[in-house]
């Protein structure tokens, strides 16, 4: 009986049988709160898909066991993982970056684990791991690693260690890599700033995760902001949202209708002191007519960066904007940027977390989906499915119950 | 009688009367071939407009006299001046750069002289002029100087001297500032080249003045080109045009229909050796659907530069081109560039003229409009009016008959 040890609930894992390491837990009766044996085997569950489609149709929970880490391997338990719109598009198969599907987790069909962002805590490390130890918090260095799982076996080289987690919550760290990084890089990399407090940026989707991050970064860096939100039928609600963004440091908040109204030209001229204060970058996640309307208020020669297309419409650019106003239009894809600039990503994350620690970066509103050992797949997939919906109270995040000893 | 001297035809100009210097010649009977008196007064005619509209409706010929140059002043007689589409748009009032209208030439209403490009020959210089002498050829340093006139009184500082006119024709020098400069800067300034012969650009409107210049510069610099032209109903004519562009050094010539056909993706992949050879910049003067189709064949991360919009349609950019392919879209306006970079413009002009002198830059096809003393305004304005038409045999240019002694 030395090689087989009963777990609560009767689960047995054989250390001597590699074939069993990733054997689906679906074949075991599961009813216990411990996921790690004294031999170092970890019982994990992952939210996987084997074909593209709507999350509610294609996601399933796959149980498997993870062997003790060796060499540069690390076992991480996830703490908090957001559900980003790109994650959903990826499952739908409409995202250009497609994850590799394989049977490494012991699934019958080749499968991929959903999710790209999240924070985890190191549970155990292989003998040659130098930079990480038990208890460290880590974020993913690359995209496509599949974060929606209770535990992950991963090589040390694929993780960024959070150097100082003091004063930070898993939610703050787990949601730093995509939206705040996007806002940070778009603001810094597409304009040259004097940081004298007399420069502006303009953005739509201002109440999104990226939008809120941009407002706060602008406030910290002395960059004023014109923030466009979709108008609400309920004007009290609209004003409440405006006030919320003003509270984050927005200089001006307007609705799409106001942006496209005829008085806006004069209004923005007044805000920018007759145009002497330049609007130096535009952040666009809407596209279509609202996107073009946004570009109209950029100063000549500046750049509008597109990072989303919520309207699902192309950006119909009049040639005059390109030729005579010399505006530049480009896009930002945080996944490619992260994969191409892992060191810069680490710096960016660290800088944002420092602002967070100093209370300069407010938590985003979230809708938490608690993920325990017995959480049904329907609960998890509904949280994913709901992410592409219209107005939400907050960003969907999985928060993992502590299962380990 | 020393101060008044009869000219052939009875024109008299008083050297003592500044008020008369710009007096309209419309009040004088004009019928002679000499435009300069022995006192240095030059009789000039300019194609002017006092209000915006169609060239045929608003252009008129204004006769006036130019006093001898003093100080840093220079009197230039024009040799060859092209009629560019932008010149017509300027007269129509639909161009963002509007010329100053004034009465300096003695017009009843404030007026502007048409035209922005051209080459002239220095006739006489003021006493403090150091860099120019009689017989020198000059081009305009800035836009908006009004080149459609037989003679121009201008300050030395507003002219670029052609350092070496050997082997050059007025047509070659008179048409260098707009189209060849546009092609030169768009190719060089929006991509980083290895000049190893394994890089490409793609352009539409390839048989335009800019297009032909780009083909030849590409050939000289070792940059291969995919050139898109509008298909012709007459396929013999179409093939003739293709052959003409191949003769200039085009690597590939295709029609808009071929570009948008479904086989083009594989075809371009084959030309670019499976995509290993990058398409590093796109030059777009068409816009609309053809412009977007062009952008599809750019390599990721590269730039499409728009310098015209012959389709009069906006460029409807899918967000994926911006976000996932990271393409950049911007414009080039040679007028602003010239005005902002006079020294670089001189270098560019000199470099292109050196290629021309060496036989590397073929003359563009032109439709000449000869401008003599008695040429009717209807002839001149028809040449201007015709410039925005469809297929033309060549670019409209004014060539000035030699009127001076």
């Amino acid at each position: 009986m030395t090689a087989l040890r009963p777990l609560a609930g009767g689960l047995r894992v054989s250390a001597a049988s590699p074939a069993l390491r990733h054997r689906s837990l679906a074949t075991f009766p599961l009813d216990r709160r411990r996921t790690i044996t004294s031999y170092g085997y970890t019982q994990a569950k992952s939210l996987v898909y084997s074909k593209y489609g709507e999350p509610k149709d294609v996601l399933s929970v796959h149980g498997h066991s993870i062997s003790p880490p060796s060499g540069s391997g690390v076992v991480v338990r996830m703490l908090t993982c957001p559900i980003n719109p790109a994650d959903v598009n990826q499952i739908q198969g409409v995202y250009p970056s497609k994850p590799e599907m394989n049977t490494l987790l012991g699934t019958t069909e080749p499968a991929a684990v959903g999710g790209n962002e999240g924070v985890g805590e190191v549970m155990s490390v292989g003998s040659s791991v130098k930079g990480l130890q038990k208890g460290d918090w880590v974020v993913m260095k690359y995209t496509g690693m599949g974060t929606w799982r209770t535990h992950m076996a991963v090589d040390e080289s694929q993780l960024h260690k959070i150097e100082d987690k003091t004063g930070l919550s898993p939610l703050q760290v787990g949601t730093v890599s995509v939206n705040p990084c996007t806002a940070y890089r778009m603001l810094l990399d597409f304009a040259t700033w004097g940081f004298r407090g007399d420069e502006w940026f303009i953005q739509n989707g201002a109440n999104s995760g990226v939008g809120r991050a941009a407002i706060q970064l602008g406030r910290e860096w002395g960059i004023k902001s014109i923030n466009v939100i979709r108008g609400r039928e309920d004007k009290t609600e609209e004003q409440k949202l405006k006030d919320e963004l003003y509270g984050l440091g927005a200089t001006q908040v307007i609705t799409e209708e106001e942006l496209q109204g005829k008085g806006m030209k004069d209004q923005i001229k007044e805000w920018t002191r007759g145009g002497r204060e330049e609007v130096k970058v535009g952040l666009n996640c809407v596209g279509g007519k609202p996107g073009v309307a946004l570009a109209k208020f950029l100063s000549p020669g500046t750049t509008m960066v597109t990072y989303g297309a919520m309207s699902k419409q192309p950006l119909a650019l009049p040639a005059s904007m390109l030729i005579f106003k010399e505006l530049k239009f480009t896009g930002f894809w945080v996944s490619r940027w992260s994969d191409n600039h892992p060191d810069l990503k680490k710096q960016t994350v660290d800088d944002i977390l420092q602002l967070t620690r100093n209370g300069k970066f407010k938590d985003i509103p979230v809708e938490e989906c608690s993920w325990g050992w017995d959480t049904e797949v329907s609960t998890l997939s509904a949280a994913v499915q709901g992410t592409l919906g219209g107005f939400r109270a907050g960003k969907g995040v999985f928060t993992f119950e502590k299962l380990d000893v």
Side-chain angles (χ1 to χ4, degrees), chain A residues 176 180-181 184-185 188 217 220-221 344-358 360-361:
Chain A
V176 76
C181 277
Y184 190 106
R185 297 320 320 179
L188 278 198
L217 291 169
E220 280 308 297
W221 295 339
L344 197 52
K345 181 184 167 185
K346 185 167 164 52
Q347 280 179 31
T348 305
V349 164
D350 287 346
D351 198 15
I352 295 164
L353 291 180
Q354 187 56 39
L355 289 172
T356 310
R357 204 176 282 118
N358 295 343
K360 303 295 178 67
F361 220 86

Side-chain angles (χ1 to χ4, degrees), chain A residues 76-82 84 116-121 135-141 147 159-181 345-346 348-350 352-357 361-364 366 395 397-399:
Chain A
V76 172
R77 78 171 182 96
M78 300 312 293
L79 300 172
T80 296
C81 298
N84 289 309
N116 290 277
E117 190 183 12
V119 60
E121 181 182 76
D136 283 343
W137 282 8
V138 289
V139 296
M140 309 301 117
K141 194 179 279 187
T147 54
L159 300 170
H160 275 310
K161 179 184 167 184
I162 302 301
E163 296 299 342
D164 176 13
K165 65 187 187 195
T166 321
L168 297 174
S169 72
L171 174 66
Q172 290 165 338
V173 180
T175 56
V176 76
S177 298
V178 173
N179 288 344
C181 277
K345 181 184 167 185
K346 185 167 164 52
T348 305
V349 164
D350 287 346
I352 295 164
L353 291 180
Q354 187 56 39
L355 289 172
T356 310
R357 204 176 282 118
F361 220 86
K362 289 223 175 76
D363 286 4
I364 53 170
V366 294
K395 182 175 204 64
V397 294
F398 291 124
T399 52

Side-chain angles (χ1 to χ4, degrees), chain A residues 300-322:
Chain A
T302 60
T303 298
M304 185 163 95
V305 193
T306 291
Y307 66 97
M310 292 193 321
S311 74
K312 294 190 165 63
Q313 295 298 314
L315 210 53
L317 303 178
S320 58
M321 271 193 178
L322 296 162

Side-chain angles (χ1 to χ4, degrees), chain A residues 263-294:
Chain A
M264 196 39 62
K265 196 175 168 182
D266 290 337
Q267 179 61 80
I268 289 185
K269 205 162 180 180
E270 193 189 314
W271 288 339
T272 58
R273 298 178 198 277
R276 288 193 302 281
E277 297 188 351
E278 281 189 288
V279 183
K280 295 181 107 172
V281 72
L283 313 182
N284 166 46
C285 65
V286 179
K289 212 172 149 186
V292 179
L294 194 81

